[in-house]
Amino acid sequence: QVQLVESGGGLVQAGGSLRLSCAASGRTFSTYVMAWFRQTPGKEREFVAAIGRSGGTTDYADSVKGRFTISRDNAKNTVYLQMNSLQPEDTAVYYCAGRPGIFFSKSARDYNYWGQGTQVTVSS
């Protein structure tokens, strides 16, 4: 069982930056593909970014490419999401997710473990 705890959300003006962190419990963090999703009221959870077990492979949603960077530190059992040039449409609850194995997925249904979410609000 893996427990995930996100932090780092908040209120920021358009054009600003935030860095989200997701701390994982357990000794198997390095065997998980990790991802970030986001969700707004009334909408399905949306893929943002994913990172492979060693951190050498990443994937991004088109809407965040060039602005967001996902990274991980397996020694600290933590995955990060650096968000730059934030826009009001980035406003959402951001969730950290993990799945064992090596394959990436952009579907929330494929992830076994989830954090509680952290709110990101971007004002115009």
Side-chain angles (χ1 to χ4, degrees):
Q1 188 77 10
V2 175
Q3 291 185 328
L4 304 174
V5 179
E6 301 98 334
S7 60
L11 174 64
V12 64
Q13 289 187 333
S17 298
L18 282 175
R19 188 175 84 153
L20 305 183
S21 299
C22 173
S25 65
R27 294 178 287 180
T28 58
F29 177 75
S30 63
T31 67
Y32 286 76
V33 169
M34 299 299 298
W36 289 94
F37 286 77
R38 64 188 182 186
Q39 190 170 25
T40 54
K43 292 189 176 181
E44 291 188 357
R45 205 161 286 190
E46 174 191 23
F47 172 78
V48 174
I51 188 166
R53 297 183 300 181
S54 67
T57 306
T58 57
D59 192 16
Y60 295 92
D62 288 343
S63 59
V64 307
K65 278 181 183 176
R67 300 188 299 124
F68 290 10
T69 302
I70 188 171
S71 61
R72 67 190 296 164
D73 185 338
N74 287 342
K76 296 182 178 179
N77 279 15
T78 303
V79 61
Y80 305 98
L81 186 67
Q82 177 67 43
M83 304 186 294
N84 298 329
S85 302
L86 283 162
Q87 299 301 315
E89 52 266 34
D90 295 315
T91 295
V93 177
Y94 282 72
Y95 296 90
C96 169
R99 67 187 302 265
I102 62 173
F103 296 108
F104 283 21
S105 174
K106 296 183 178 182
S107 173
R109 299 175 183 176
D110 292 331
Y111 287 82
N112 306 81
Y113 302 105
W114 292 87
Q116 82 288 352
T118 185
Q119 176 71 47
V120 171
T121 303
V122 184
S123 63
S124 58

